[in-house]
Amino acid sequence: QNGDITVSVYYARKSYTVYFDTGVQGKDFNETYLYGTMQSAPPTPEVTGKTFQYWSYKDDSGNWQYWTPEIQPAKDVTVYANYDPPLEATYKINYWYQASTDELSYDDSQKTYLMFDSETKTQTVYSDITLDGSKYESTYRKYNKNKTEEVNKGKIVESDGSTVINIYYDRPEMTITFIYYNPDTGEEDHRESFSAVYGHVTSGVINYDHKYRYYALDKNAENGSIISYFNYFGPNMADDYHIVYNGMKLKEEADKKYTLLYHMQDPDGTWKHESYKKIEYLPGTGRRGSTFHPSDRAYVGYYYWTNSEDEFTTDVSDSNKELFPYAGKEQTIVTADGGNPVNDYDGDGKSWLHIYWKRQAYNLKFYGADNEEVSILNGAPLSYAKESLNNPVRHQSVPEDYIFMGWYLTPDFSEGTELDSDNYIMPMQDMTIYAKWQPQEVTVTVEGNGADSKLPDSVKIQKNYTVHRELSMIPEKKGYWFGGWYKDPEFNTPFDINEKIEQDTVVYAKWDKQKSTKWIVKYLNTEGNVISNEELGNGDINDVMYKEARNISGYIPDYGSKNITLTNADGTNILEFVYHRIPDDVGGETSDNTPESDIKLSDSKSSNSSNISNTDSPKTGDNTMNAPYVSLIIGSGAAAGIALLIHLKRKKTEK
């Protein structure tokens, strides 16, 4: 009844891929290996005018290392070809400057940056890039080293020229201080300071006492012009970032006066009336004039005179004939003549000059989409054009199956130039944004059904691509056998991870329960009598139980070891060792000469084979050796990436 047993051991390993980047478009390749097997030497890439030197990769610490074939780790690896002379490729550098509308309290994640320049450089492929912010750094443009390093972390010069480096500059903090002096003693009474980023408007930030006359830093020259922005203001600069106004004297009150009222248009088009007010008394008989300094790129100036503070207009345009266009800082508006305010219409000795700063509008243009241009006030967020931004019009050159991926600030859609319409403001010039279209993606949702292996919840791939890289070949679940991937929860339609996917798909892992059964090991003599205590235990159906014979004094076993496939689900699986008594003429006890284990596992470092067999297995009396793949009880703890499997096959006994 006994027969020879063939034992075949299978290592069901996960597959991982080595990607070989040759640096030449169209010549990259990859090789897939089972975990723990030996990688093979790849072919040497050939590039005209170059001599291949070696392969390299970046380790987990970000350091470059030489690569040679080795045991495949439990992860994908990308290695890069190095040549003599080295391959070179271009990369792009974008330079960004913080917007003047940002608040001083913003951290790096809240700041808004506007791209003001870009350049292209050439460097050895796969080399690290030195981040240098010195090119544009200045007194009022500060290199943001932390943000720049964080955004560009891990970037190298890619061979296809796709690398984009983003360099960021911040606006420094500017402070305006009003120092108030006691008019009688000339001693400082108190001071008030207001801060914002360089270039921020002062309206709504500063608050000063209009009763004072203000002097420059040296306190000798009166300089009552309060700046509209936190900018450099020569005679009042204590240092590059600190503006000082000295309130030395009170304005002389008189019956006659004129008042300057400033009205500034907000980015949303509404008006902030009386942004600030300046009252000038006229105790003498002289002639006075005023100039204003709005940026001609940011604002268009208008002015007109009224009899009261409340007489202001909301129709600020060229069509309003009551308004006078302001020609710029070259124009001086006469405000008093002969000690009298000009345009004192009711003769009460008082007049009001209303000055309007109307924001310039610029055109937002769309490239790669057929949307019409949109006019937006400078300083307004681009989200004001949300109707166009949310509804890109497909250009006739864009294939119908391509989908819109968003708006970008650069035509190459480089990283870091995605449009954030809520935070990106309209500059003081026309600007163009670029529509990105790409082939449609599909989503593969993964239902692991309790898998112990780490599986993605979902995978996004290009339409008509596969998920062979994203899904484990053989996931694991304790107490179960993996039964494959299926397209339906009822497991009727199998799913192949190498098949091309045309639409959103859900895949389901099927698991077959490992049923439990009992086993017993008996130690008998040739007459069938028990000569040592039996062993009892439990195992899973189709597991292979392996046992070595006991050393029993005065006896020798029929085999040093035996195994049995646990197939009897309802009863008890029995494994028997039969012992022969040692004749009396053989002195002493039996020596421990138990044969070496009949199941030997090869060293994965010296062989790529995952199929280990031994044809000299003992006859065990196991009549059910045609079992499917089963897991080994002894030493069943699998290493990372390995599930240890055994296939047993009965060999007929020669008669």
Side-chain angles (χ1 to χ4, degrees), residues 4-8 613-615 617 647-651:
D4 293 337
I5 302 298
T6 298
V7 181
S8 299
S613 63
N614 188 328
T615 58
S617 301
H647 178 63
L648 298 181
K649 185 176 180 181
R650 177 86 187 279
K651 181 179 179 181

Side-chain angles (χ1 to χ4, degrees), residues 562-622:
K562 293 184 179 183
N563 53 52
I564 183 174
T565 303
L566 306 180
T567 58
N568 191 341
D570 300 323
T572 300
N573 297 268
I574 301 174
L575 178 64
E576 295 181 346
F577 284 96
V578 179
Y579 286 76
H580 296 265
R581 176 174 290 281
I582 300 175
D584 293 339
D585 57 352
V586 179
E589 296 183 347
T590 58
S591 60
D592 186 9
N593 57 356
T594 302
E596 182 183 353
S597 170
D598 293 278
I599 298 179
K600 301 179 181 178
L601 303 182
S602 68
D603 184 350
S604 61
K605 294 182 180 180
S606 61
S607 172
N608 285 329
S609 174
S610 62
N611 180 3
I612 295 84
S613 63
N614 188 328
T615 58
D616 296 325
S617 301
K619 303 179 180 66
T620 64
D622 184 351

Side-chain angles (χ1 to χ4, degrees), residues 333-391:
I333 302 174
V334 177
T335 53
D337 191 9
N340 297 308
V342 300
N343 297 320
D344 178 12
Y345 298 124
D346 57 7
D348 63 355
K350 302 177 181 63
S351 65
W352 282 262
L353 175 59
H354 295 262
I355 299 128
Y356 295 89
W357 289 355
K358 179 180 174 63
R359 286 181 182 265
Q360 294 271 34
Y362 294 94
N363 290 327
L364 178 64
K365 303 178 181 181
F366 304 91
Y367 185 88
D370 286 341
N371 297 64
E372 296 291 332
E373 296 179 5
V374 177
S375 179
I376 303 177
L377 295 178
N378 77 87
L382 296 193
S383 58
Y384 283 12
K386 63 181 179 180
E387 183 64 29
S388 293
L389 295 175
N390 294 340
N391 298 282

Side-chain angles (χ1 to χ4, degrees), residues 463-570:
K463 186 177 179 180
N464 291 320
Y465 275 57
T466 73
V467 291
H468 74 279
R469 289 180 55 183
E470 289 80 5
L471 288 184
S472 302
M473 294 275 298
I474 303 179
E476 298 175 2
K477 181 178 180 180
K478 187 176 181 180
Y480 291 83
W481 295 111
F482 178 59
W485 293 105
Y486 284 79
K487 297 180 180 180
D488 59 286
E490 293 78 25
F491 311 117
N492 293 320
T493 307
F495 170 77
D496 185 349
I497 61 174
N498 294 303
E499 68 180 75
K500 294 181 179 180
I501 302 174
E502 297 182 352
Q503 59 188 6
D504 290 348
T505 303
V506 182
V507 296
Y508 303 84
K510 181 182 179 182
W511 301 101
D512 297 321
K513 177 68 175 176
Q514 295 177 352
K515 297 179 181 179
S516 180
T517 186
K518 297 178 180 179
W519 54 262
I520 184 172
V521 181
K522 295 184 178 183
Y523 302 91
L524 309 174
N525 60 19
T526 53
E527 288 77 31
N529 298 320
V530 175
I531 59 174
S532 184
N533 292 334
E534 298 172 341
E535 290 185 55
L536 302 174
N538 297 301
D540 292 329
I541 289 293
N542 291 328
D543 276 352
V544 175
M545 182 182 70
Y546 170 83
K547 283 291 182 180
E548 293 186 357
R550 288 178 179 172
N551 285 331
I552 301 177
S553 179
Y555 289 90
I556 185 170
D558 50 356
Y559 291 99
S561 63
K562 293 184 179 183
N563 53 52
I564 183 174
T565 303
L566 306 180
T567 58
N568 191 341
D570 300 323

Side-chain angles (χ1 to χ4, degrees), residues 88-122:
E88 292 186 330
T90 59
Y91 65 96
K92 186 175 182 180
I93 304 177
N94 294 325
Y95 296 94
W96 302 82
Y97 189 32
Q98 185 184 8
S100 61
T101 52
D102 280 358
E103 298 301 327
L104 190 61
S105 60
Y106 285 1
D107 59 29
D108 283 350
S109 66
Q110 298 171 298
K111 292 174 184 175
T112 304
Y113 292 89
L114 308 179
M115 191 172 72
F116 66 90
D117 198 8
S118 64
E119 64 177 325
T120 299
K121 290 189 174 183
T122 301

